[in-house]
Amino acid sequence: MINHTRPAIEKLLNRLRSRDPKARHHCRARRPGLANTRCLPRLQSEPVSLELRHLRYFVAVAEQTSFTRAAHDLHIAQQSLSQQITVLERAVGARLLDRDTRGTRLTEAGRLFLPEARAVLARADVAVATARSAALGEIGVLRLAFLASTANSMLPPVVRAFRQRFPEVEITTDDVDIATLVSGLRDGRYDAAFTRPPLVDDLAGVTLVTEPVCAVLPDGHPLAGRTGLHLSELADEPWVLTPRDSWAPWHDKYDRDYHDAGFVPNVVQRAAGVANLLGLVAAGVGITRLTRSARTIRRTGVVFVPLVGEQADTVMVWNPRHDRPAVRNLLDVVTGLATATDLTETG
């Protein structure tokens, strides 16, 4: 029996006991064939653990007006059905059904009991359906984080596609930096996130997009007309980069990239966020290095030139310790979306 339906059943029983109009009448011996609705003794209420099946049995008999037909529909023996109805009546403390030569009829108490029993059963059905939907990830809340540099291109198609498949799931979204994104996945604030690979071992992930990494130059830069550049060609340029403490694993990788290209970048300014970096490049302060999809954030004042041999992934990541059915559904949606759509160009 579903635990949270038990209070509803107890409430139903108490209500019925208080409304039984014949509860205080005592029964006199009746003649054979006389319906026992003429004389309804107050049944001694017994401490019985009622289950939903007792209510289902009662409703079936009441609707069929026959123990025989109800037992057939319920696929149980008629004797067993009669015994279970007796258990219910003892728990209620009132007779609910009356049988005589003309068939089975509801008593006054049974007539009042019937709609209440149906309501409890309907509420139980809703509870079961809700639990099943939650277990399948079809309802509830899905909390997503998007790295700021991916939000502009990834958020609209991902949210749109998921809502089309699972309209009953509420989606919340945050546009965050990488440190907030990772900590949110670890402590359960976020269920899943879309980001560049965070380069940590405790999060699971799948690659959705692989795209070119570009040198971002101001309009009019001597190299702006090139179709491709090697990182080593930018050794003498002033650079604008994110703060070193923004995410150590990424900056360790950047340092290796510059080392492999044979130089240490001349960093003239550091700024948090892709939009800030693009603004500084457009202002002529320096150049930077970003994925091609960042051009959806700013399309004027800057030029994106692909860096030869450099690519970056966008991944969906989640915490494998937090098993959420909705996350599995999200993974199914976005992997299909990534196969059919260039997510670096959508928005």
Side-chain angles (χ1 to χ4, degrees):
M1 178 177 173
I2 299 175
N3 288 337
H4 62 259
T5 64
R6 193 178 301 277
I9 293 177
E10 293 301 324
K11 182 178 180 180
L12 171 57
L13 297 182
N14 292 334
R15 184 185 306 161
L16 180 63
R17 289 164 185 155
S18 68
R19 294 169 67 178
D20 181 1
K22 300 180 184 291
R24 293 184 173 84
H25 288 189
H26 294 280
C27 182
R28 295 187 298 271
R30 55 186 173 89
R31 295 185 299 276
L34 182 64
N36 60 9
T37 50
R38 300 281 187 87
C39 176
L40 296 178
R42 184 179 185 85
L43 298 179
Q44 179 64 44
S45 179
E46 297 180 355
V48 177
S49 178
L50 287 182
E51 301 179 13
L52 289 176
R53 62 189 175 93
H54 292 109
L55 299 185
R56 295 192 193 280
Y57 293 166
F58 167 73
V59 171
V61 175
E63 292 177 345
Q64 292 287 357
T65 65
S66 165
F67 275 79
T68 302
R69 290 192 296 270
H72 179 269
D73 290 348
L74 293 167
H75 305 290
I76 62 174
Q78 182 175 339
Q79 181 180 3
S80 176
L81 177 59
S82 296
Q83 291 171 346
Q84 295 304 314
I85 293 298
T86 299
V87 169
L88 174 62
E89 290 177 326
R90 288 294 180 186
V92 170
R95 195 179 303 281
L96 303 175
L97 294 161
D98 185 57
R99 285 184 287 183
D100 61 19
T101 57
R102 291 175 294 177
T104 301
R105 301 190 304 278
L106 290 169
T107 65
E108 178 64 13
R111 185 185 67 80
L112 296 173
F113 188 75
L114 180 58
E116 303 285 359
R118 284 173 173 155
V120 170
L121 292 173
R123 186 68 189 90
D125 289 342
V126 170
V128 169
T130 298
R132 286 175 179 167
S133 294
L136 294 172
E138 297 173 346
I139 60 173
V141 178
L142 185 62
R143 300 159 298 181
L144 303 181
F146 290 82
L147 185 70
S149 60
T150 68
N152 200 50
S153 60
M154 294 290 292
L155 189 154
V158 166
V159 172
R160 185 185 307 118
F162 189 83
R163 290 188 64 193
Q164 288 173 349
R165 282 272 302 275
F166 301 97
E168 298 303 314
V169 176
E170 178 187 351
I171 300 176
T172 66
T173 61
D174 280 341
D175 177 349
V176 297
D177 58 75
I178 182 63
T180 302
L181 183 149
V182 171
S183 66
L185 289 172
R186 286 171 171 166
D187 65 23
R189 279 176 291 147
Y190 301 125
D191 299 310
F194 297 85
T195 178
R196 310 296 174 212
L199 306 180
V200 294
D201 296 331
D202 58 331
L203 299 179
V206 63
T207 298
L208 301 176
V209 176
T210 300
E211 60 177 311
V213 176
C214 299
V216 186
L217 313 173
D219 273 342
H221 190 283
L223 300 176
R226 295 276 294 274
T227 58
L229 289 167
H230 290 86
L231 184 59
S232 59
E233 296 180 77
L234 304 174
D236 296 328
E237 297 289 335
W239 287 80
V240 291
L241 299 176
T242 54
R244 289 197 63 86
D245 60 0
S246 58
W247 192 243
W250 284 359
H251 281 275
D252 290 343
K253 181 182 182 304
Y254 299 158
D255 289 344
R256 292 192 298 271
D257 292 342
Y258 293 122
H259 178 270
D260 292 344
F263 71 98
V264 175
N266 174 28
V267 181
V268 295
Q269 189 166 338
R270 293 188 181 272
V274 172
N276 283 336
L277 293 177
L278 289 171
L280 291 172
V281 172
V285 175
I287 69 169
T288 195
R289 187 171 64 145
L290 295 170
T291 55
R292 184 183 63 184
S293 58
R295 63 188 180 182
T296 63
I297 299 175
R298 184 183 185 95
R299 298 185 182 274
T300 60
V302 295
V303 177
F304 283 71
V305 180
L307 289 167
V308 177
E310 293 200 31
Q311 292 185 317
D313 296 332
T314 298
V315 297
M316 173 182 152
V317 291
W318 64 94
N319 191 332
R321 297 192 303 275
H322 303 158
D323 183 26
R324 291 289 313 281
V327 172
R328 296 194 293 270
N329 291 340
L330 176 65
L331 181 60
D332 181 59
V333 168
V334 298
T335 51
L337 184 65
T339 300
T341 308
D342 182 358
L343 292 175
T344 67
E345 296 291 345
T346 57

